[in-house]
């Protein structure tokens, strides 16, 4: 959550009822580490007082273009140069129209013309005003000129209407602002990730599986999407929410997982975080198996090998940069290095599942990554989401090397 650390953001507030949410937005941006200056239009000041925004931003609020006192402090050109981002929230229909015209008839529109910083707009207005063709055309023009439009979302409006036109919630806007600065190491890359266990049917009601929770694979999918990648996540049965901007394909068996991965190819990077069942019952009964009431004998289940998804994809002519996991209870690094070679991988991530505070089903992990040159890089124990970000950064630097 340090992603706005030392970032300088001008929050421009337009004259709409959603202006009351801008106070919370300023607070959230500062929580993420940003320095904030607020610029209010005359209309905005009818809805919320500059004093509130001054207290929350920790800086004097800028309201007038032609105020000698304010210009003696931080003039409008200085303010325009100071900003790393201008975020206008709420951005009314009138403001959008004035931005399209290139107006400079108040401080906020003048700043927009004067700044080189990226500009994000959070439109907020009545749903009919948003739907009007004039506003839609303006939105399109602004989008083409490189303004980043965040929202609007849909729901109940202050005027009682229901529809598209609500300002995005402050928390989401702050997150979106952070994403605009995020280091996009994987932009343009397609990353395929397997996650979770597989489930191998014995009959319609019984199956063989394992304790994998899928948390590591899902955290990796989230981190890869944050790094700008297009992410396909092929998951066995798990109880996890799909991360934002990730395409998820649910499967059961190892063979289903392989078929889904093959269908998702080509990809630039494959990260095989799934705990795939090595074996499956030779046959899966169509009807529920019944025990013999006249016999106390046990039953024998014949298991056969499942395909190795990672090795299969890493052998293809269009093989992706291939990353495997080695979860071991002993001789960890030795076994991991063998797997790297045997499966023709670029990287292998070794984790010690004998340590119950990390690995399977836990929220934390500690890993050592081994590359083709046998170089080892260790990442100490921390949350799976942090490890995932570190690993995605590591992968991003490695793919640019090969
Ligand atoms: O051989 P082992 O199961 O220990 O290898 C683990 C690595 O191989 C993991 O990355 C796992 O996702 C992948 N794997 C696979 N298909 C299998 C078995 C393992 O993709 N059938």
């Amino acid at each position: 959550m340090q992603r706005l650390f030392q970032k300088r953001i001008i929050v421009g507030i337009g004259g709409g009822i959603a202006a009351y949410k801008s106070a919370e937005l300023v607070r959230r941006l500062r929580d993420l580490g940003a320095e904030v200056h607020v610029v209010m239009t005359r209309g905005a000041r009818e809805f919320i007082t500059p004093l509130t925004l001054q207290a929350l931003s920790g800086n004097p609020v800028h309201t007038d273009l032609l105020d000698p006192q304010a210009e003696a402090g931080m003039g409008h050109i200085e303010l325009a140069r100071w900003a790393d981002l201008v975020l206008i929230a709420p951005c009314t229909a009138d403001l959008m129209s004035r931005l399209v015209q290139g107006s400079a008839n108040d401080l906020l529109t003048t700043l927009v013309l004067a700044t080189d910083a990226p500009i994000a707009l959070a439109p907020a207005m009545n749903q009919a005003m948003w739907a009007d063709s004039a506003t839609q055309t303006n939105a399109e023009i602004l989008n083409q000129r490189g303004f980043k439009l965040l929202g609007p979302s849909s729901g109940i409006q202050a005027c009682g209407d229901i529809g598209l036109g609500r300002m995005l919630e402050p928390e989401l806007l702050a997150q979106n602002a952070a994403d605009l600065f995020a280091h996009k190491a994987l932009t343009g890359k397609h990353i395929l990730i397997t996650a979770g266990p597989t489930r191998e049917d014995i009959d319609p009601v019984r199956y063989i599986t394992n304790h994998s929770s899928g948390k590591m694979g899902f955290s990796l999918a989230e981190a890869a999407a944050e790094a700008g990648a297009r992410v396909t996540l092929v998951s066995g049965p798990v109880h996890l929410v799909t991360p934002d901007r990730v395409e998820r394909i649910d499967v059961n068996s190892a063979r289903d997982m392989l078929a889904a991965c093959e269908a998702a190819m080509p990809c630039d990077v494959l990260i095989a975080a799934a705990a795939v069942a090595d074996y499956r019952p030779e046959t899966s009964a169509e009807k529920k198996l019944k025990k013999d009431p006249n016999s106390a004998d046990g039953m024998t289940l014949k298991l056969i090998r499942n395909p190795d998804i990672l090795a299969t994809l890493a052998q293809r002519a269009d093989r992706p940069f291939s990353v495997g996991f080695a979860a071991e209870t002993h001789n960890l690094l030795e076994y991991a290095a063998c797997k790297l070679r045997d499966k023709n991988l670029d990287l292998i991530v070794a984790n010690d599942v004998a340590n119950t505070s990390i690995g399977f089903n836990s929220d934390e992990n500690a890993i050592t990554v081994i590359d083709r040159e046998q170089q080892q890089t260790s990442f100490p124990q921390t949350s799976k989401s942090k490890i995932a970000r570190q690993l995605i950064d590591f992968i991003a630097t490695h793919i640019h090397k090969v």
Side-chain angles (χ1 to χ4, degrees):
M1 281 308 207
Q2 286 291 330
R3 279 186 299 142
L4 285 173
F5 188 57
Q6 287 184 335
K7 292 287 183 283
R8 295 159 158 190
I9 301 182
I10 290 179
V11 173
I13 306 181
I17 180 61
Y20 80 93
K21 291 189 192 173
S22 309
E24 177 68 9
L25 172 63
V26 170
R27 202 181 66 79
R28 297 269 178 182
L29 292 171
R30 293 200 68 202
D31 283 351
L32 288 175
E35 254 185 90
V36 177
H37 271 270
V38 174
V39 175
M40 299 176 80
T41 65
R42 187 201 305 254
R45 280 173 276 151
E46 301 289 335
F47 288 96
I48 183 167
T49 70
L51 192 60
T52 306
L53 279 313
Q54 176 175 315
L56 289 168
S57 68
N59 282 313
V61 170
H62 309 261
T63 53
D64 294 307
L65 185 56
L66 305 173
D67 176 349
Q69 215 181 342
E71 286 291 300
M74 196 191 255
H76 66 278
I77 298 295
E78 208 179 328
L79 200 53
R81 289 195 188 128
W82 172 86
D84 294 317
L85 171 71
V86 178
L87 170 57
I88 303 184
C91 187
T92 59
D94 173 62
L95 251 176
M96 285 175 66
S97 151
R98 287 195 288 136
L99 294 176
V100 167
Q101 294 305 317
S103 296
N105 53 359
D106 65 5
L107 178 60
L108 186 53
T109 49
T110 305
L111 266 175
V112 167
L113 289 184
T115 192
D116 284 335
I119 302 163
L121 311 175
M125 64 200 73
N126 165 270
Q127 53 82 25
M129 291 171 72
W130 173 253
D132 189 273
S133 63
T135 311
Q136 286 302 304
T137 307
N138 287 340
E140 221 172 280
I141 295 171
L142 291 168
N143 193 28
Q144 277 164 10
R145 284 192 200 155
F147 287 72
K148 177 94 189 149
L149 267 72
L150 308 173
S153 66
S154 118
I156 298 184
Q157 303 202 291
C159 52
D161 278 8
I162 297 176
L164 212 57
R166 275 167 64 97
M167 187 169 91
L168 291 191
E169 292 306 318
E171 191 179 356
L172 195 57
L173 279 179
Q175 193 53 52
N176 272 302
D179 287 348
L180 292 176
F181 289 106
H183 159 62
K184 303 281 187 200
L186 292 176
T187 301
K189 302 283 180 208
H190 177 206
I191 314 286
L192 175 61
I193 299 176
T194 67
T198 64
R199 195 180 266 184
E200 311 296 333
D201 287 346
I202 298 170
D203 67 16
V205 293
R206 304 180 180 95
Y207 52 79
I208 298 172
T209 191
N210 59 60
H211 287 296
S212 169
S213 62
K215 282 177 195 158
M216 194 63 223
F218 275 60
S219 297
L220 284 163
E222 185 168 23
E226 269 177 26
R230 172 165 82 84
V231 182
T232 308
L233 174 63
V234 179
S235 176
V238 295
H239 301 283
L240 294 173
V241 177
T242 312
D244 258 3
R245 293 164 291 177
V246 166
E247 187 196 348
R248 170 172 170 179
I249 300 165
D250 287 317
V251 295
N252 279 317
S253 70
R255 284 178 301 169
D256 293 346
M257 189 174 269
L258 176 59
C261 288
E262 283 174 331
M265 289 288 283
C267 67
D268 299 288
V269 180
L270 164 68
I271 308 177
V276 184
D278 289 323
Y279 298 93
R280 68 174 183 276
E282 183 175 34
T283 51
S284 153
E286 263 179 35
K287 293 200 175 120
K288 184 181 170 189
L289 296 172
K290 307 295 286 180
K291 58 185 170 289
D292 182 350
N294 305 315
S295 163
D297 287 350
M299 82 171 277
T300 304
L301 198 59
K302 180 160 184 215
L303 301 179
I304 58 169
R305 282 295 286 265
N306 260 332
D308 190 311
I309 297 161
L310 177 57
T312 307
L313 298 179
Q315 263 164 23
R316 286 169 55 128
D318 63 348
R319 77 182 283 285
F321 183 93
S322 303
V323 183
F325 274 73
E328 304 288 349
T329 53
H330 56 286
N331 297 344
L332 177 62
L333 299 180
E334 209 178 297
Y335 283 142
C338 290
K339 242 168 248 180
L340 176 91
R341 197 187 53 233
D342 295 346
K343 299 194 190 208
N344 188 27
L345 308 181
D346 296 282
L347 295 176
I348 186 112
V349 182
N351 71 321
D352 177 2
V353 284
N355 178 348
T356 51
S357 69
I358 58 174
F360 266 28
N361 246 326
S362 100
D363 288 327
E364 298 213 328
N365 209 348
I367 56 171
T368 299
V369 184
I370 307 175
D371 67 15
R372 278 178 182 259
E373 279 76 49
Q374 301 292 320
Q375 263 196 344
Q376 297 179 9
T377 310
S378 292
F379 297 91
Q381 181 166 347
T382 182
S383 68
K384 282 187 173 168
S385 57
K386 270 207 188 122
I387 287 269
R389 284 205 199 104
Q390 292 167 345
L391 188 55
I392 288 294
D393 277 351
F394 187 82
I395 291 170
T397 49
H398 264 68
I399 52 174
H400 296 305
K401 276 191 202 162
V402 289

